[in-house]
């Protein structure tokens, strides 16, 4: 029997979506307001889920205090109050779309979660726009 446990978190960050190899017109057409050269911010909401067997000794799939600390150390400290394009090395040559941010978060957390367990990241860029990545 497998069961999924989840922890919510949030962070604020600025970004700009653009491709330096495209014209300004094309960047505007594809990325719209997100191509603002002066950047803009989002309040990102995150749900990190771990799926696995219940440990018969503890009754946990994973101690959520531990998951909370992993998110704090590897996600919030890396991304909160940052300009994603400028401050976060992963986005030096990668557009910080919600899709790519979710993959980067998953990659940061995966090494710290028991290999026998599944990891899922749901990232909300706005209350209505969200992406899900599970590897
Ligand atoms: Ni945006």
């Amino acid at each position: 029997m497998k069961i999924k446990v989840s922890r919510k978190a949030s962070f604020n960050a600025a970004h700009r979506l653009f491709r330096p190899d495209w014209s300004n017109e094309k960047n505007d057409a594809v990325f719209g307001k997100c191509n603002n050269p002066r950047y803009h911010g989002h309040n990102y909401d995150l749900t990190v889920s771990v799926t696995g067997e219940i440990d018969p000794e503890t009754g946990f799939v994973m101690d959520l205090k531990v998951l909370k600390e992993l998110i704090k150390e590897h996600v919030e400290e890396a991304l909160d109050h940052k300009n994603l394009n400028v401050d976060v090395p992963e986005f030096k040559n990668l557009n910080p779309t919600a899709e790519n941010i979710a993959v980067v978060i998953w990659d940061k957390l995966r090494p710290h979660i028991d290999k026998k367990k599944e990891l899922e990241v749901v990232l909300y860029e706005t209350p209505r726009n969200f992406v899900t990545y599970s590897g």
Side-chain angles (χ1 to χ4, degrees):
M1 182 193 75
K2 284 189 172 181
I3 188 160
K4 174 157 91 173
V5 298
S6 303
R7 169 83 192 173
K8 286 187 178 181
S10 63
F11 59 91
N12 306 319
H15 75 167
R16 177 192 181 190
L17 302 183
F18 76 109
R19 290 194 61 100
D21 56 328
W22 286 359
S23 69
N24 238 333
E25 291 69 28
K26 185 164 181 187
N27 273 300
D28 271 338
V30 173
F31 298 120
K33 285 182 181 169
C34 277
N35 177 40
N36 179 352
R38 295 182 182 275
Y39 306 97
H40 63 278
H42 291 280
N43 300 319
Y44 292 94
D45 279 317
L46 179 67
T47 303
V48 177
S49 299
V50 175
T51 302
E53 305 277 340
I54 298 176
D55 181 323
E57 237 175 2
T58 60
F60 294 157
V61 171
M62 176 174 185
D63 186 339
L64 287 178
K65 286 195 303 296
V66 174
L67 187 57
K68 172 190 170 181
E69 288 305 317
L70 288 174
I71 294 168
K72 186 167 179 241
E73 183 182 343
H74 299 285
V75 179
E76 292 171 14
E77 281 178 16
L79 306 181
D80 190 35
H81 285 71
K82 297 291 170 71
N83 178 321
L84 299 177
N85 303 72
V86 174
D87 301 328
V88 180
E90 284 86 345
F91 299 111
K92 196 167 166 32
N93 296 303
L94 181 68
N95 240 343
T97 58
E99 291 88 332
N100 284 329
I101 299 168
V103 172
V104 165
I105 291 171
W106 191 94
D107 286 343
K108 284 176 175 292
L109 291 172
R110 182 69 266 189
H112 307 284
I113 311 269
D114 183 344
K115 284 186 178 48
K116 296 194 292 291
K117 289 164 189 158
E118 295 153 36
L119 174 65
E120 179 190 85
V121 166
V122 180
L123 181 72
Y124 283 77
E125 190 169 72
T126 72
R128 289 166 192 257
N129 293 351
F130 61 98
V131 302
T132 303
Y133 183 61
S134 21

